Amino acid sequence: MAPIILSAPMQGWALPVSQVPDAVFAEAMLGDGVAIDPTGDGLYAPCDATVLTLLDTNHAITLRTRDGAEILIHIGLDTVALGGRGFTPRVAVGDTVASGDLLIGFDLDLLVREARAVVTPIIVINPERFTITTRTTDQRVEIGTPLMTILPIAPVGRQPAAQTAGEVRTRTFAVPLPHGIHARPAARLGELAKTFASSIRDRMP
């Protein structure tokens, strides 16, 4: 497969994701990428893709490229708490978009006043399949400026996991978070799950 070029989905200052003031993004718990501190009021498609998810609060969107790369764009930090205020979606789940199409309009002034930060991570969330080979940081970018190049990772043959007999324990619990299992708790649960030889499934009500 050919390299996938992701362009800047908004204008602003590009910075390493490690500088995002949130451990989930800075420590790449969700995946690696680049962040932009925006100066405009729109989020545009960084490549040709399909809209995979769009949260009800309209502050985060996931795109899937034709080759299967999944790109999460999270506008600001803790913006889920705005309940959708300040965001105007221009697409819906399942839509096919072209590079440069407007995805979400947002009120930058409102976000600056009410969100913890407006810095926006652009993350490759299936790093087991794709790796970033080049990225643009520490400079101003315009919509369409080349931001990242990603390449598929060659598959490695694996032996089927051995089946072991033993006691099976199941526990069901509810997470009493007002906005559900959002990016931060989901990432931390994922990191914790990797330390156990277990299977964890989530079921939405």
Side-chain angles (χ1 to χ4, degrees):
M1 287 187 283
I4 301 169
I5 308 297
L6 301 181
S7 60
M10 54 175 54
Q11 64 189 60
W13 185 262
L15 63 151
V17 75
S18 60
Q19 294 181 12
V20 174
D22 185 286
V24 164
F25 294 109
E27 297 175 14
M29 293 183 190
L30 292 174
D32 197 5
V34 172
I36 297 177
D37 198 358
T39 56
D41 58 4
L43 177 70
Y44 296 80
C47 59
D48 298 346
T50 299
V51 179
L52 187 61
T53 66
L54 175 64
L55 295 187
D56 291 342
T57 46
N58 300 318
H59 71 288
I61 190 169
T62 305
L63 305 174
R64 177 182 287 157
T65 71
R66 180 178 57 188
D67 294 326
E70 295 180 1
I71 314 300
L72 168 67
I73 308 175
H74 194 287
I75 304 173
L77 301 179
D78 292 344
T79 40
V80 63
L82 296 176
R85 288 189 302 113
F87 297 99
T88 304
R90 302 299 187 185
V91 294
V93 172
D95 284 356
T96 299
V97 298
S99 180
D101 285 353
L102 179 61
L103 303 177
I104 303 171
F106 55 88
D107 185 338
L108 183 60
D109 288 341
L110 184 147
L111 268 59
V112 168
R113 293 194 310 269
E114 300 193 27
R116 180 159 68 92
V118 295
V119 62
T120 297
I122 301 101
I123 303 294
V124 179
I125 59 172
N126 52 347
E128 72 284 355
R129 293 187 56 196
F130 294 87
T131 185
I132 300 170
T133 58
T134 66
R135 68 190 82 201
T136 299
T137 59
D138 300 314
Q139 69 180 63
R140 179 178 173 79
V141 294
E142 301 295 336
I143 297 163
T145 299
L147 189 68
M148 286 185 281
T149 302
I150 60 178
L151 283 174
I153 297 173
V156 178
R158 294 188 303 174
Q159 296 296 324
Q163 299 295 318
T164 58
E167 182 180 5
V168 176
R169 297 186 180 184
T170 302
R171 182 178 180 184
T172 301
F173 62 93
V175 179
L177 298 174
H179 304 294
I181 303 180
H182 190 52
R184 185 176 296 104
R188 293 202 177 279
L189 285 172
E191 286 292 299
L192 180 62
K194 293 175 184 177
T195 65
F196 294 91
S198 62
S199 175
I200 298 176
R201 299 179 181 179
D202 64 83
R203 184 175 63 183
M204 304 303 290

